Amino acid sequence: MVDLDNPAPSDDLHDEIEQFYFAYRGFTDRADRILEKRGLGRVHHRILYFIGRRPDVSVRGLLDLLAVSKQALNAPLRQLMEMGLVGAEAGVQDRRVKNLRLTPQGQKLEAELTQAQTRHLRAAFDRAGPEAERGWSVVMGELVKG
């Protein structure tokens, strides 16, 4: 198991995999607790987050962004809409297209979730320093590329 106070690179990357797992668990914990009180989970959080960052995103655009099937998105998105957290309007140029937007209640919840994670991430960056923050950004960008 990795020593979180003194991480050292390893050839097999098992320690780094553990760090990544534990970091993700810590990063999502605060938001998970907020969501749990409403009967929601991480999939709901991802939907709220990305609709909040891209107001008027189409359902198709959200499916592409999240890289999930229509079936996987349908139930949690419908639940968020029924809870009054997400609204949908027909597209201006194509009435068949649904554009999604957070309602004021959805904006409030999304901000609460994001602030919890932002504080956690900012504190870690402040402790690690600007060079580590830049390195982290590079590594995460490479992971995104696959």
Side-chain angles (χ1 to χ4, degrees):
M1 182 159 166
V2 70
D3 177 358
L4 295 177
D5 294 325
N6 192 12
S10 64
D11 290 337
D12 64 10
L13 298 178
H14 285 104
D15 289 345
E16 288 75 9
I17 290 169
E18 284 188 32
Q19 269 189 304
F20 193 80
Y21 170 76
F22 291 126
Y24 183 73
R25 185 176 67 185
F27 177 72
T28 57
D29 180 62
R30 291 160 184 81
D32 285 350
R33 285 186 271 140
I34 295 166
L35 290 161
E36 189 176 316
K37 291 177 186 174
R38 293 175 175 256
L40 301 174
R42 287 184 191 159
V43 66
H44 300 96
H45 185 188
R46 282 190 292 276
I47 293 167
L48 290 168
Y49 180 83
F50 285 107
I51 292 173
R53 293 297 161 273
R54 292 162 178 81
D56 295 323
V57 64
S58 68
V59 172
R60 175 83 255 157
L62 187 61
L63 287 167
D64 292 344
L65 183 65
L66 297 176
V68 298
S69 69
K70 198 172 192 177
Q71 185 177 7
L73 181 66
N74 186 44
L77 179 57
R78 187 178 58 245
Q79 186 179 8
L80 292 170
M81 293 174 84
E82 288 170 356
M83 294 174 78
L85 299 170
V86 172
E89 290 187 20
V92 174
Q93 297 186 348
D94 185 346
R95 306 284 301 157
R96 296 170 297 176
V97 173
K98 282 187 187 175
N99 293 322
L100 304 171
R101 182 175 280 263
L102 297 181
T103 66
Q105 298 142 305
Q107 289 173 347
K108 183 178 176 187
L109 176 57
E110 190 280 324
E112 181 182 6
L113 296 166
T114 297
Q115 287 171 3
Q117 291 184 320
T118 300
R119 283 191 302 269
H120 185 72
L121 199 53
R122 175 53 43 214
F125 283 151
D126 288 348
R127 288 188 305 271
E131 187 175 326
E133 183 175 348
R134 284 189 295 278
W136 183 85
S137 293
V138 170
V139 169
M140 294 306 287
E142 291 300 320
L143 288 173
V144 168
K145 289 179 192 176

